[in-house]
Amino acid sequence: MEMRALLGQRLLERLATAERFAVLTGAGVSAESGIATFRDPNGLWAQFRPEELASMEGFLANPTRVWQWYQYRRHVIESAQPNPAHIALAKLEQIVPTFTLITQNIDRLHQRAGSQRVLELHGNLEDHHCAQCGRPYQGEISAEIAQPPRCPSCGGLIRPSVVWFGELLPAGVLAEAEHAARTAEIFLVIGTSAEVYPAAGLPLIAWHHGAMLIEVNPTPTHLSSYAHAAIRQKAGVAMPHLVALIEQLRSNC
Ligand code: NAD
Ligand code: ZN
């Protein structure tokens, strides 16, 4: 179906005039860049549960395995390129007055596509800190390092600065994301299964505060029943059309 028909008249009117947009992205927005989503059954690491690879318990039980998993992911991400969905979102930031891009992804592909301001709810793969004393780690992490380095201050194990299961999200980042959700007129949810909280709660906060919700995901989620429009397409297909339409709607008024 054509994008206008999928959105409907009320949403088209709001897209033409809204001042405040917020977006939440998940692993699905990077799927077309060749980066497997967490729950991808074909993933090389599919024999492990996410909790075994992305938790402090899992890290302490087998630091080398967890470290190598992140080294592998960093390698995949470095070889990947932003796709048309990342590029369309960077463009949308330029078109609308207030724009907040919130991501659960740790791959930095939004930034590489040109997005200026990205709220990283779950950290990123470039930064590291000590699992014991918490100090940031400044040493270089090259692809050859097969074991987690040791902290120069306390000797603890160095870990990637991503948010693991059971850990709190960075408070300032979450507060900014919640503010954006409360004040958004349009909230886009792209490529997330919306199963991991508190990220998954942001679209609902926006909905309760009167935002119109647009979901872009080939597969329905529990958010779908709240969405004013559910676009059942891949992000890399839908987003360039959606952003082009928003630009067109706003140049006419
Ligand atoms: P998820 O794997 O739980 O869900 C991915 C969602 O994307 C699914 O709903 C799926 O239907 C949808 N999807 C798949 N292909 C798509 C496409 N081409 N276009 C649009 N949607 C598509 O991922 P999640 O919701 O982000 O949550 C899991 C956690 O995994 C997050 O905390 C995130 O930090 C982490 N993670 C990040 C990356 C990354 O940085 N790229 C990769 C894997 C996992
Ligand atoms: Zn330390």
Side-chain angles (χ1 to χ4, degrees):
M1 209 195 290
E2 203 233 337
M3 188 60 74
R4 279 176 182 269
L6 281 172
L7 297 172
Q9 197 51 38
R10 252 185 81 216
L11 195 44
L12 287 170
E13 284 165 17
R14 186 84 76 95
L15 286 169
T17 57
E19 304 245 316
R20 292 182 303 278
F21 285 66
V23 181
L24 174 67
T25 64
V29 84
S30 296
E32 289 155 86
S33 295
I35 299 171
T37 62
F38 231 155
R39 289 158 185 85
D40 182 1
N42 304 315
L44 182 60
W45 297 82
Q47 69 265 37
F48 302 113
R49 292 182 300 120
E51 292 80 356
E52 285 179 89
L53 296 164
S55 71
M56 187 60 103
E57 292 72 27
F59 182 59
L60 295 177
N62 199 333
T64 301
R65 182 171 75 194
V66 171
W67 178 261
Q68 290 184 357
W69 185 57
Y70 281 99
Q71 286 287 64
Y72 163 73
R73 291 180 71 186
R74 195 171 308 120
H75 165 73
V76 171
I77 285 165
E78 276 167 9
S79 329
Q81 295 302 324
N83 68 56
H86 298 108
I87 292 163
L89 285 167
K91 179 156 191 210
L92 186 56
E93 183 175 26
Q94 308 297 324
I95 295 173
V96 299
T98 303
F99 181 81
T100 307
L101 178 52
I102 309 160
T103 190
Q104 300 166 86
N105 295 346
I106 58 178
D107 57 32
R108 293 254 160 118
L109 286 178
H110 286 305
Q111 289 92 332
R112 282 168 60 190
S115 286
Q116 300 290 315
R117 198 170 139 261
V118 184
L119 299 180
E120 293 176 323
L121 286 178
H122 295 164
N124 65 74
L125 271 179
E126 285 171 26
D127 298 328
H128 290 78
H129 66 271
C130 173
Q132 194 161 286
C133 73
R135 283 193 180 87
Y137 180 71
Q138 312 295 358
E140 211 210 318
I141 307 285
S142 68
E144 297 78 52
I145 301 181
Q147 307 277 338
R150 293 279 174 177
C151 173
S153 304
C154 78
L157 292 166
I158 297 301
R159 55 165 283 186
S161 299
V162 299
V163 177
W164 281 339
F165 287 95
E167 295 181 336
L168 295 175
L169 275 60
V173 178
L174 181 60
E176 276 190 74
E178 284 170 345
H179 174 77
R182 279 194 306 273
T183 53
E185 295 161 80
I186 299 284
F187 196 102
L188 283 155
V189 199
I190 308 169
T192 176
S193 60
E195 282 174 20
V196 181
Y197 283 83
L202 293 168
L204 296 176
I205 293 175
W207 185 86
H208 280 293
H209 286 81
M212 292 185 91
L213 222 61
I214 303 174
E215 179 177 66
V216 179
N217 195 320
T219 310
T221 71
H222 75 89
L223 290 176
S224 302
S225 58
Y226 295 89
H228 297 84
I231 303 171
R232 299 268 163 257
Q233 297 171 4
K234 292 183 171 182
V237 174
M239 288 312 297
H241 289 298
L242 181 58
V243 171
L245 177 58
I246 293 172
E247 191 175 29
Q248 190 193 340
L249 290 166
R250 298 173 80 87
S251 63
N252 292 344
C253 64

